[in-house]
Amino acid sequence: MALGDAILACLTEHPMTGYELAKTFDSSIGFFWKTDHQQIYRELSRLRDRGYIQGREVVQTGKPNKLVYTLTAEGRAAFRNWAARPSVPASTKDDLLVRLYALGATDIAPLRADLMARLEHHRDRAERYDRILKKRFPDETASPADLGKLLNLRLGLRHERMVAEWCEEAITALSAISSPGNVQPLDPSPRENAG
């Protein structure tokens, strides 16, 4: 998926300014498609150049004018074409998992600290998903237009809870192998050499 496709997806809801798009990314699509505000503004220019969106200037009193972006017929067709293609499963690139893979050659203390930070991160995200779910879908049902949003929030909540649970498991396992009773000496003791 390209950033342009994600922007087109946002604009299927309603026309938005660049600022509103950036806020939408921060509070929804950004959970599963990361970008920054400057990238959004650059991509808006590219989408205009391709004829997928058009900008309408809205005159404001006491504030700078703003551009409100709307999908064009070409933009809707491009989005439908993209949405009809098979998806590609996400790939994982996580340096923490690589360090765990090489656990025997890694210091445990910084790894445990990293896992504890991850645990808090995923707990916080789970709480955020839960708050959004309760606020946006209090009866846990959605209109056909919002069903995808509800399903994404449920997946996000389950994922964050599962990763938090895994972090707890990993922290416990690392604590067990780093306790003094489980440390194996590198050099054999004199008693072992005597036998």
Side-chain angles (χ1 to χ4, degrees):
M1 177 167 104
L3 174 58
D5 300 315
I7 290 173
L8 294 178
C10 287
L11 291 175
T12 63
E13 288 191 70
H14 56 81
M16 293 185 210
T17 64
Y19 176 78
E20 291 166 334
L21 278 164
K23 289 297 177 194
T24 298
F25 268 82
D26 288 346
S27 64
S28 61
I29 286 186
F31 291 136
F32 47 89
W33 186 262
K34 294 290 180 206
T35 191
D36 64 46
H37 295 195
Q38 291 307 314
Q39 290 172 312
I40 291 171
Y41 285 103
R42 283 193 299 271
E43 190 61 29
L44 284 169
S45 293
R46 286 193 274 273
L47 291 170
R48 276 180 78 175
D49 292 346
R50 293 161 109 182
Y52 291 171
I53 62 172
Q54 59 187 11
R56 178 179 54 89
E57 187 173 28
V58 175
V59 178
Q60 303 185 109
T61 307
K63 301 189 247 184
N65 296 344
K66 62 181 180 180
L67 275 177
V68 177
Y69 296 97
T70 308
L71 282 176
T72 63
E74 294 85 4
R76 284 191 186 281
F79 177 74
R80 279 194 303 274
N81 181 45
W82 171 80
R85 293 186 297 209
S87 63
V88 176
S91 62
T92 302
K93 293 181 181 178
D94 191 328
D95 59 341
L96 174 63
L97 299 180
V98 173
R99 286 183 278 164
L100 278 172
Y101 178 82
L103 186 58
T106 307
D107 291 331
I108 300 290
L111 208 48
R112 264 187 95 249
D114 199 1
L115 279 162
M116 292 172 83
R118 290 278 185 107
L119 173 60
E120 289 309 308
H121 169 79
H122 290 288
R123 282 180 176 164
D124 289 346
R125 284 180 60 105
E127 288 172 13
R128 187 171 181 194
Y129 278 123
D130 195 42
R131 279 193 310 272
I132 294 169
L133 265 168
K134 287 176 180 167
K135 181 179 179 184
R136 187 120 190 239
F137 303 102
D139 60 357
E140 301 212 15
T141 61
S143 67
D146 285 338
L147 181 59
K149 295 172 186 72
L150 174 59
L151 291 170
N152 284 346
L153 282 166
R154 285 180 178 162
L155 174 64
L157 180 59
R158 286 179 188 146
H159 172 79
E160 297 303 332
R161 285 178 175 165
M162 183 268 310
V163 175
E165 184 180 310
W166 175 85
C167 287
E168 290 170 349
E169 176 185 352
I171 290 165
T172 300
L174 291 183
S175 295
I177 67 169
S178 64
S179 67
N182 291 331
V183 175
Q184 299 297 317
L186 293 177
D187 296 322
S189 68
R191 262 181 288 157
E192 290 172 348
N193 285 336

